[in-house]
Amino acid sequence: MSTGFFGDVTRIKYEGPESTNPLAFRHYNADEMVMGKRMEDHLRFAVAYWHSFAWEGGDPFGGRTFERPWFPADTMSLAKMKADVAFEMFQALGSPFYCFHDADVRPEGANFAENTRNLEEIVDYFARKQEATGVKLLWGTANLFSNRRYMGGAATNPDPDVFAFAAATVKTCIDATHKLGGANYVLWGGREGYETLLNTDLKREDTQLGRFLNLVVDYKHKIGFKGTILIEPKPQEPTKHQYDYDVATVYGFLKRHGLENEVKVNIEQGHAILAGHSFEHELELAQALGIFGSIDMNRNDYQSGWDTDQFPNNVPEMTLAYYAILKGGGFTTGGTNFDAKLRRQSLDPEDLLYAHIGGMDTCARALKAAAKMVEDGTIIRHVEKRYAGWDTPEAKKMLDGSHSLSDIADYVANADINPQPKSGRQEYLENIVNRYV
Amino acid sequence: MSTGFFGDVTRIKYEGPESTNPLAFRHYNADEMVMGKRMEDHLRFAVAYWHSFAWEGGDPFGGRTFERPWFPADTMSLAKMKADVAFEMFQALGSPFYCFHDADVRPEGANFAENTRNLEEIVDYFARKQEATGVKLLWGTANLFSNRRYMGGAATNPDPDVFAFAAATVKTCIDATHKLGGANYVLWGGREGYETLLNTDLKREDTQLGRFLNLVVDYKHKIGFKGTILIEPKPQEPTKHQYDYDVATVYGFLKRHGLENEVKVNIEQGHAILAGHSFEHELELAQALGIFGSIDMNRNDYQSGWDTDQFPNNVPEMTLAYYAILKGGGFTTGGTNFDAKLRRQSLDPEDLLYAHIGGMDTCARALKAAAKMVEDGTIIRHVEKRYAGWDTPEAKKMLDGSHSLSDIADYVANADINPQPKSGRQEYLENIVNRYV
Amino acid sequence: MSTGFFGDVTRIKYEGPESTNPLAFRHYNADEMVMGKRMEDHLRFAVAYWHSFAWEGGDPFGGRTFERPWFPADTMSLAKMKADVAFEMFQALGSPFYCFHDADVRPEGANFAENTRNLEEIVDYFARKQEATGVKLLWGTANLFSNRRYMGGAATNPDPDVFAFAAATVKTCIDATHKLGGANYVLWGGREGYETLLNTDLKREDTQLGRFLNLVVDYKHKIGFKGTILIEPKPQEPTKHQYDYDVATVYGFLKRHGLENEVKVNIEQGHAILAGHSFEHELELAQALGIFGSIDMNRNDYQSGWDTDQFPNNVPEMTLAYYAILKGGGFTTGGTNFDAKLRRQSLDPEDLLYAHIGGMDTCARALKAAAKMVEDGTIIRHVEKRYAGWDTPEAKKMLDGSHSLSDIADYVANADINPQPKSGRQEYLENIVNRYV
Amino acid sequence: MSTGFFGDVTRIKYEGPESTNPLAFRHYNADEMVMGKRMEDHLRFAVAYWHSFAWEGGDPFGGRTFERPWFPADTMSLAKMKADVAFEMFQALGSPFYCFHDADVRPEGANFAENTRNLEEIVDYFARKQEATGVKLLWGTANLFSNRRYMGGAATNPDPDVFAFAAATVKTCIDATHKLGGANYVLWGGREGYETLLNTDLKREDTQLGRFLNLVVDYKHKIGFKGTILIEPKPQEPTKHQYDYDVATVYGFLKRHGLENEVKVNIEQGHAILAGHSFEHELELAQALGIFGSIDMNRNDYQSGWDTDQFPNNVPEMTLAYYAILKGGGFTTGGTNFDAKLRRQSLDPEDLLYAHIGGMDTCARALKAAAKMVEDGTIIRHVEKRYAGWDTPEAKKMLDGSHSLSDIADYVANADINPQPKSGRQEYLENIVNRYV
Ligand SMILES: [Co+2]
Ligand SMILES: [Co+2]
Ligand SMILES: [Co+2]
Ligand SMILES: [Co+2]
Ligand SMILES: [Co+2]
Ligand SMILES: [Co+2]
Ligand SMILES: [Co+2]
Ligand SMILES: [Co+2]
């Protein structure tokens, strides 16, 4: 029943660190226990349907490089051929999850009704495949950016009909996600932003976006969808400025619209970097703010100024990410999605496998290193000790509101407080990290 | 009574656009009416004490280049000589305001008590000078970043004694600002951030910073200080990451700590750029969020990755800034501060004058151009028209909560909504701007 | 005979600075004399065929937004319809020049022979249009980056057949340019670079690229083409790293391959910025190195990390560019090409006109301001005076080789040389620039 | 005879990967053989005198944080105390080399003669210490950027007396380096650049810089100094633009002034990144151009836009650097210098040790991984195979000049060449790298 797309590849096996088989895992071993939990249950890998099966290899200076038998997938039959290959790859990799946009999986219809029918048909097809394979849906989402109707935004479009079309489309995508048992539903507002302030009313667009998200949350509860609603921050690209700029910006938006307990974030490494942050910054901030949800584990090239969506490969960097996640208790509904695309010169089916194997293996190494960091506890204890002074009664009074600014000034003056700096020990701590990676 | 520092320069005069006198204004004419208000009252210029009178011209690869008779100003008498020259320059420029940090104006003492005494003495000296000259204080602030005690943060320091020392110091600086009739009080959290997450507890530090700001706000009300409390966002430098990253981040922080109606932002052009935004973005966002306060009108070099704090000189860019400000109703307690420093090769006293004259002149041109944009109204009407569809009843139902996501989906399906994109007209609008600048 | 694409627009007229007609020039007045030369002859404007007539409005997250009757132009008849509209726009704008790639103007053939035939046919068509309209060709070029055969480079491809195909294609494009009387021939090496060093041999690729360019130069001489061969530097995008990174890099490459007297550079503002330079830096450097040729006057968004190719609109910035050009004697074979594309939301035919009118008007203002800077001479004299010390005999000996390092050390020791710094006067000079813009 | 500065620390030992002793090496084992050579002889570590012993911990927003008994080292006796501690640390670390600027090691004199005397005295002191400890000098250099006389450049200063002073100073520093048996002499042109083109004559400054370097090279030969003259590229900071921007720029400069066989480059990772390149890019380019000399192995923070000069810690990244170096045959006179400074919060003497131990250990891991990559040869063979088509006779004719552009076009037309793209295999190759690191 194989499509033959991947030749005779069936299931990628774990062969251990010494293997030189490019089609084997060297580190990812689904059943291996890490901190008392199976590696698979920690990492919760997902393959992104769009990059691996719908993207054609184009860039702003050149068109399609990939040749796939299902391109252009503008008929239901080609869409199903694509699905067959996709699920074949999920199984070959042993990926427990996948993610998709409506536009990745169904032919584009002439109008909303046709889009909906197409989506429903493919959802039925996916449901059968999920059942047959055991692969599950990490999250569904609506593509509200590719069609030209969204060129000026979806929820934030100056034209209310676009808002309506987008809202209707999201409804169908939440329905699809719910039906497929999705663990989360994601909103990425790639065109929710602006190209120029000269034609933009920031306040109106914020109101529209806040309403849109409230509609989504209300609908989720109405239909009993238990998954998490996630916003994926990104600072720019495609637009010059996107409203979901970074974690801090999304937090402010949620708080403004009363949604900080309803919505969490899906953080992408590459987007963190485009926003001027490290990945671990965005992760730790989201946890501190109580809105951490899921991750897109795909990196940006540090020398490129656009979203390169590359498979991850730097274990020390990834270790800091999983360290942040493990410290915060790990994923609940979220997981590790590879929102990563092949380089456009990686033409062959096996390149898809190499890329995912490499990504999964490096995540596994990073997870194990991070677990050792947590279990060892040297760094955590160092941090606790650094702030230990705040446990004194005098210090607590400053934080709990019993001391006013004048009280504190009196204290400083009377006790002649003259604090002496202590080493921040950054290099020492960086050396400790290198014990584990 | 002149110090002689600026030679025989007395008062810089307005000579009109054709003047080639480098020591005359060509565009800034304090009493000229713009949109029914004096130019001086629109722009509310302030000179920054630190860059012009305390900075020595050093950079990370070299030390002092400037030779000033008051350096190192470590005695009260040198501090007063510095003040004499400073006020002489404020008068020569006709600058209605100035701004200072405690550390700019008083010798560094051995402890808190001595710092306080030194500050009080210089505040008395300033008070007399303000009265004699009519120059006013736009804002005061505390330097919580230069002394080594603050190397690991002030309010966010792991050591509560540093928090206490900083709080006590801010008290004295608010007192000073209050006494001098300051229109605002600014907090710039240059060391409120981190160098490495490995030694940092983000959540604790956020709690500390939130408490600190609440202490400040409470104290302001207690002493009856009517000025605005302002936070100045900056993404990084000196630290790798600063908590007051940009306007959106500060908004979220204020909202989290219940301060969004108490505190506003002082936005610096250079910091906007370092954070990946345009200046007008930060301004318009602050207005949309209701937290716009004041500006630091100093640019960053687009090719340099650090805070270059240069005097502004690009009128079309500055016009977009004042356009945002004027659309929002202009300054209330805020103003236009030049947080700008001479290039370190600009050694001479007259360089200080040239720099400020150039900055004031370009601001004046930008203000006049922005006023024409507002008065002409072409762009404002274009924007209103772009969103006019939202005034229809069906559109309003989507925003006011009467329609659910399902209702909207039904509407789209039943009416076969199929929105067609309309030109965003960016180039047309950019051409319109070029009519005014 | 009009295509009707631009409605009833015929010729855009100069109406002077007070005009509010969006379809009139306010500053560009072709026959107006500037420094003794017609404005048209100074600026030598060219329209870029690709962005205005072949680009469909796509970006990495969405497809075609523009609807043009000639899309997809995959037949000769559609290609000619496109040409009809293009020349209509050249005339409407009074643009004396245009530029094109082979792939912009002819349908893509099944092989080299068909491409050549298609190109020859359209070249004949263009030749007649040039004769009918008086519009001339500023430069021709070959598109060696869009077709998937070039995904791994053209001249620098690991496959020699791609080198051969590219070389053959360039031959046909030089032939076309020669036949159409082109003033220059451009090479932009968008895929001459690498995605990863792991699969790349830098030295081999340099050898290939050097040979390729020598082949081109030899061919130019053989056929008697008198135009200038130009390389267009760009640091990256589409590839991670491009070999023609910036002017300094191209200079080294030319020198290494003995081509520094044969080839010049076409400098694009946006590419200068992507490479970390100001536009005027690249211009002045090219002039200092003797390789300045032509410009692409399209800007990058300072907040975006990719090539945004926007129409220019900031007169003070553009003034510094034309100042550099005028100081160096102005264009010879080169000109001002708008390698600029509409924002993808600017859907309408008139947006094409607005964009070019705005670009031409701002260039005209910048040229006039730059001419005043040159004629006035204040800045030029300031610079000369700054270096005047080098005219002394002792200084000359250090430069002309008569003094060795020891001689100089003796001189310093014996004369106790102790140089004192002098003000660099940056702010003063920036103020002077603002007199003209 | 110990200074006691590092307490009772004597010699840092290799204890193997399992050690948790923060004052032991876990990977650096000087005598361990790697590819037939001792690790020490491969890596050739050097400690940078300036950052570790002269830098005070200041940044643009705060002053000295470090307390060292030898500060401010403005007497010969303090300078010697500093030297005592420095050599103690070189020995403790087992660092075979060190590097210094004149200004790091001697008190600043009132004039050239005093500087020279001070330098000579300390050079004698160093000579005795070198002999006593076996520590050698990797390179010497002159600080031509900190003193205010150099604010407008050294060799490129508009004032010829500054050129003279700089030249005389370099003479004394080459003499010192020669006397101490230095393996190289470095020139870093931190102020050889400009702040604004408005006051700059690029061509004159290039002439001055070319002459300066020729004077240096002539002098080297005259005195029989056998070390390599190295230029250290950096794009900017302290100046807005530095002439030695990157490797490609330096190559062009050398070629222009006839120095490409006399001078090589000292490449710093952080400077590569500031210039928009990866470190391995700069290394491989320098090798391809024949000008590779030495490295400064200190990283930049990817989220900071200035030179952070941090100790290296990312082994996968460093592996690519040593892979480039080993492929090219390894160091000859060059080595691995840590031009790295402690974070300014790392106050304690042991922080100096932690930082260097961490840097040395990660270099050792990277070297071993790189050696495995070279020895295994999988990637090298992959690359060779990728270009194998160029070995055919037809391909060679294109490269060796026997085929003209017309010949190639004929070949393509006649043979109907239609090359098909082949996978670039980037992800596969990245996975292979992860086998070694
Ligand atoms: Co992405
Ligand atoms: Co993503
Ligand atoms: Co600033
Ligand atoms: Co500021
Ligand atoms: Co471009
Ligand atoms: Co271009
Ligand atoms: Co550096
Ligand atoms: Co260095």
Side-chain angles (χ1 to χ4, degrees), chain A residues 12 19-25 353-354 357-358, chain D residues 428 431-432 435:
Chain A
I12 307 299
S19 172
T20 58
N21 176 0
L23 290 172
F25 292 118
L353 299 175
Y354 296 144
I357 291 168
Chain D
Y428 165 81
N431 290 358
I432 305 252
R435 286 187 196 163

Side-chain angles (χ1 to χ4, degrees), chain A residues 61, chain C residues 51 232 234 268 270-271 274 296 298 300 307-309 339:
Chain A
F61 296 86
Chain C
H51 282 319
E232 180 167 337
K234 189 179 179 187
E268 177 173 317
H271 300 176
L274 286 173
D296 276 7
N298 43 291
N300 239 51
D307 197 12
T308 64
D309 282 337
D339 185 3

